[in-house]
Amino acid sequence: MSDLSHIRNFSIVAHIDHGKSTLADRLIQFTGGLTNREMKEQVLDSMDIERERGITIKAQTVRLTYKAKNGQTYILNLMDTPGHVDFAYEVSRCLAACEGALLVVDASQGVEAQTLANVYQAMDANLEIVPVLNKIDLPAAEPERIRQQIEDVIGIDASEAVSISAKTGLNIDQVLEAIVARLPAPKGDATAPLKALLVDSWYDAYLGVVVLVRIVDGELKKGQKIRMMQADAVYQVERVGVFTPKQETVEVLGPGEVGFLTAQIKQVADTQVGDTITDEKKGATVPLPGFKPAQQVVFCGLFPVDAALFEDLREALGRLHLNDASFTYEMESSAALGFGFRCGFLGLLHLEIVRERLEREFNLDLIATAPSVIYHIHLRDGTVKELHNPTDMPDVMQIERIDEPWIKATILVPDDYLGSVLKLCEDRRGRQVELTYASARAMVVYKLPLNEVVFDFYDRLKSVSRGYASFDYHIDDYEEGDLVKMSILVNGDPVDALSMVVNRQRAEGRGRAMCEKLKELIPRHMFVIPIQAAIGGKIIARETLSALRKDVTAKCYGGDITRKRKLLDKQKEGKKKMRQFGKVEIPQEAFIAALKMDQD
């Protein structure tokens, strides 16, 4: 156990690509956590997808030992956090386990939307913040201007901000000295009953569930019997350890320390993030405040391309859920796509990552239906129903009103692209809240309906601003919307996988685009196929796929026209009958392409 005054728990927060993971690499290298031979780029980003996309998805912790210039040895617990909007909940739980934060700002790009969002989270958690200016070795770096910008936009003192280059390792020692000197030590009582905050949990094939904890009071030892207060489950601790970043077992974890424990836990569901762990016999009575549960905002159906692989998909979702408890899934069936699951995600990037991990780690071929958000449907009998799937929409006559989720979006964009960004927000039914300037960049706050953002807002924003705009949002409130369910009918039969809830003004354009797209994708049959978009009983768009025609008169050469007529009439009768009983086979590729359709 360590002296409390010699422990520092801190997190690194920043916008995407401002150098969090690279700074973590340098701190590990400088304190000798790993030798130069073991070192690799972004050593904490362990997943393949993290390394390929260059983003952090799961927060990671490392315990470092640092001998300061005053001769004392300190234990530094570092938490590297994600920067993306979708993983903001990962950031919030890391901050709850820390006393301080390093705010990394790119010295050439300055303060971005997510820098603000993460700093405000750190301020809400009452953390001490040390600003760090990264990438000062770049020719475009303007440290003095960015210092001023941090003071103007965020409102924290940046006069003592440490200027570093995480890539070359310049001034890393100054960062470590600032951590030791300026961040507070944790508080805690080693003699009090055990109170530990469950920060994260994941499944390990050899050890079972590994639980990451931050000890607040008391001690955690091997062989101790512990109780999860929220889940009310009792376990015996098998091993206690820390990540340095390699796993190392220790005898005991004391107040202020961050480490892991394993205890033959089979289900990650038993270890709820934010729960309080205490001693079974001499337990604490009041749990720690914990975290808000992660809120799913985007839902979509996932179906296996080969229906026989449904059980494999069920097992894969169960195993992935062990490592990422923030998505939900329940079974659903669709006439067009067979059996699958309705899954809830924290955002579009999260959806993409989960889908990619399922395809990669479990070799599955999946179809995802169009993403939708949660609507609140107020029925005439006074009840309120949550709608996750457009196909479950009740009868229009029973509905009094439909409320849709709105978000508050903060967009930072250079002045040159402001006009096109404002137009994009207005096109998406947005309402401007405020427009202010931070040096040469405009900060726009807009209220937008979430279902307009879910499809491709982020991509459009990047393209109209040539990649310079940064965007952050949080769910604001539910508001009444003029919403309708649009169904797609092929040969008179509704295709449930393609139905969606849309704004009434937008419905016709969306419907027409969908019908045109399907006309290109569905192969021609022996009979005419109408493709329609409908709201209730009203058809709002239609395309007709013409029939293939066999030449039945080929064997009639010369002779009487009535022979040919007779054959053609017979064919016509047959086609009529075919159209009545004929089933239209829509190939899987057509579904996938229609669902990927640009939703503009």
Side-chain angles (χ1 to χ4, degrees):
M1 259 179 53
S2 316
D3 179 3
L4 270 178
S5 62
H6 289 173
I7 300 178
R8 298 288 182 271
N9 295 322
F10 66 98
S11 188
I12 304 182
V13 294
H15 187 73
I16 309 149
D17 279 346
H18 279 202
K20 293 185 294 295
S21 298
T22 313
L23 174 58
D25 286 356
R26 289 301 147 272
L27 294 173
I28 292 169
Q29 211 171 353
F30 194 89
T31 55
L34 290 174
T35 61
N36 286 348
R37 191 170 62 84
E38 295 168 311
M39 208 54 211
K40 58 181 179 183
E41 293 284 303
Q42 276 80 42
V43 68
L44 296 182
D45 291 346
S46 49
M47 273 194 280
D48 291 345
I49 297 184
E50 291 184 312
R51 305 190 71 79
E52 272 170 38
R53 291 180 176 233
I55 58 175
T56 304
I57 295 168
K58 291 290 287 177
Q60 301 280 1
T61 60
V62 186
R63 172 176 171 140
L64 306 171
T65 311
Y66 171 60
K67 197 166 184 356
K69 289 181 180 165
N70 62 9
Q72 301 282 1
T73 302
Y74 289 87
I75 286 178
L76 311 179
N77 289 311
L78 147 72
M79 300 206 177
D80 182 24
T81 61
H84 267 275
V85 188
D86 290 10
F87 306 116
Y89 83 103
E90 286 269 350
V91 181
S92 67
R93 37 190 231 202
C94 286
L95 297 179
C98 297
E99 284 79 36
L102 295 183
L103 168 67
V104 179
V105 181
D106 184 326
S108 58
Q109 307 219 317
V111 176
E112 300 270 4
Q114 232 135 10
T115 317
L116 285 172
N118 290 340
V119 164
Y120 291 147
Q121 270 193 322
M123 286 176 170
D124 290 346
N126 294 326
L127 301 192
E128 185 65 41
I129 295 167
V130 173
V132 175
L133 298 180
N134 191 14
K135 308 193 186 181
I136 59 162
D137 56 329
L138 293 183
E142 303 175 74
E144 289 314 312
R145 184 176 71 78
I146 305 301
R147 258 174 229 257
Q148 194 57 46
Q149 194 183 20
I150 293 175
E151 293 191 358
D152 296 346
V153 179
I154 303 175
I156 57 175
D157 176 23
S159 56
E160 291 185 17
V162 189
S163 299
I164 65 159
S165 161
K167 195 168 89 182
T168 61
L170 178 71
N171 294 344
I172 295 295
D173 55 333
Q174 291 183 19
V175 177
L176 288 160
E177 284 298 317
I179 291 167
V180 168
R182 290 160 61 181
L183 297 184
K187 295 184 177 70
D189 180 359
T191 56
L194 170 69
K195 247 192 203 180
L197 179 67
L198 199 156
V199 183
D200 199 0
S201 59
W202 61 90
Y203 190 78
D204 182 295
Y206 301 106
L207 304 170
V209 179
V210 180
V211 179
L212 186 69
V213 291
R214 155 74 206 265
I215 313 288
V216 179
D217 286 328
E219 294 178 352
L220 182 68
K221 300 188 188 75
K222 183 180 168 178
Q224 189 174 3
K225 278 210 164 163
I226 53 167
R227 179 190 296 281
M228 313 273 181
M229 290 178 86
Q230 200 175 336
D232 200 31
V234 176
Y235 292 103
Q236 184 157 0
V237 179
E238 279 192 336
R239 51 188 289 198
V240 177
V242 293
F243 292 106
T244 68
K246 296 176 285 216
Q247 279 192 13
E248 282 189 14
T249 48
V250 294
E251 283 302 307
V252 62
L253 284 176
E257 294 193 285
V258 176
F260 70 88
L261 67 95
T262 60
Q264 280 195 350
I265 305 171
K266 300 284 182 288
Q267 292 288 332
V268 172
D270 300 344
T271 57
Q272 296 163 10
V273 167
D275 200 349
T276 304
I277 297 175
T278 186
D279 193 79
E280 192 207 0
K281 295 212 168 58
K282 306 189 292 287
T285 47
V286 184
L288 296 162
F291 315 115
K292 292 201 296 268
Q295 282 290 314
Q296 284 79 29
V297 293
V298 177
F299 285 80
C300 87
L302 288 180
F303 295 87
V305 169
D306 177 356
L309 295 176
F310 170 72
E311 281 304 324
D312 296 4
L313 175 61
R314 184 204 294 272
E315 191 188 326
L317 280 166
R319 285 176 56 189
L320 195 59
H321 198 257
L322 292 177
N323 283 11
D324 182 358
S326 56
F327 76 90
T328 55
Y329 64 100
E330 56 188 42
M331 210 177 118
E332 73 165 351
S333 67
S334 142
L337 299 171
F339 287 109
F341 290 91
R342 188 92 195 150
C343 305
F345 304 96
L346 304 173
L348 276 190
L349 179 73
H350 189 215
L351 183 158
E352 221 178 292
I353 298 281
V354 168
R355 185 180 158 186
E356 202 170 312
R357 284 183 69 185
L358 285 170
E359 289 183 344
R360 242 193 224 187
E361 295 171 24
F362 303 98
N363 295 329
L364 292 167
D365 264 354
L366 298 175
I367 298 176
T369 62
S372 71
V373 300
I374 306 176
Y375 298 98
H376 288 171
I377 297 185
H378 294 260
L379 302 173
R380 292 194 187 280
D381 61 6
T383 55
V384 181
K385 194 177 154 185
E386 274 197 0
L387 179 76
H388 294 200
N389 189 347
T391 46
D392 302 335
M393 184 95 135
D395 182 15
V396 188
M397 299 312 291
Q398 300 174 3
I399 297 174
E400 190 168 305
R401 68 171 206 271
I402 304 177
D403 292 353
E404 61 177 333
W406 281 64
I407 61 167
K408 200 170 186 181
T410 308
I411 301 169
L412 281 152
V413 60
D415 214 3
D416 310 354
Y417 307 107
L418 180 62
S420 42
V421 168
L422 294 180
K423 181 178 180 303
L424 174 68
C425 293
E426 292 296 330
D427 288 349
R428 297 297 170 98
R429 302 191 283 137
R431 296 199 300 266
Q432 192 174 321
V433 180
E434 62 177 297
L435 171 58
T436 51
Y437 275 87
S439 61
R441 289 158 75 211
M443 183 167 118
V444 200
V445 179
Y446 254 89
K447 279 193 165 179
L448 290 155
L450 182 63
N451 77 346
E452 298 283 349
V453 174
V454 152
F455 283 112
D456 59 345
F457 181 80
Y458 195 58
D459 297 344
R460 305 282 314 188
L461 178 70
K462 285 293 183 199
S463 60
V464 298
S465 67
R466 303 237 178 117
Y468 283 111
S470 63
F471 165 68
D472 181 74
Y473 69 87
H474 59 266
I475 301 289
D476 192 47
D477 208 359
Y478 273 77
E479 289 184 24
E480 187 177 344
D482 184 11
L483 300 167
V484 289
K485 174 185 167 186
M486 183 176 80
S487 313
I488 301 289
L489 310 172
V490 175
N491 200 21
D493 294 332
V495 182
D496 56 354
L498 296 178
S499 59
M500 55 174 90
V501 176
V502 289
N503 183 265
R504 197 184 294 274
Q505 273 73 43
R506 295 286 188 95
E508 195 181 323
R510 281 254 171 105
R512 179 149 291 133
M514 199 60 137
C515 290
E516 285 170 7
K517 188 85 174 172
L518 283 171
K519 184 182 176 183
E520 293 166 23
L521 296 167
I522 296 176
R524 287 164 67 188
H525 286 51
M526 296 301 287
F527 49 92
V528 173
I529 303 173
I531 302 167
Q532 300 158 311
I535 294 173
K538 183 183 171 195
I539 303 295
I540 53 168
R542 168 175 174 141
E543 291 287 332
T544 307
L545 190 62
S546 55
L548 284 170
R549 191 168 160 197
K550 186 178 169 191
D551 188 0
V552 287
T553 58
K555 62 179 184 282
C556 301
Y557 44 91
D560 190 356
I561 183 70
T562 54
R563 287 181 62 202
K564 291 187 178 176
R565 270 265 61 93
K566 193 173 162 190
L567 287 167
L568 288 168
D569 286 347
K570 199 172 166 189
Q571 184 187 36
K572 202 167 163 188
E573 280 301 305
K575 284 200 179 297
K576 203 169 173 184
K577 201 167 182 182
M578 241 184 200
R579 196 173 151 206
Q580 214 173 340
F581 301 109
K583 274 268 176 263
V584 180
E585 287 297 321
I586 305 178
Q588 298 280 17
E589 297 78 57
F591 268 118
I592 297 169
L595 292 170
K596 278 187 178 164
M597 176 185 116
D598 182 4
Q599 297 292 334
D600 243 21

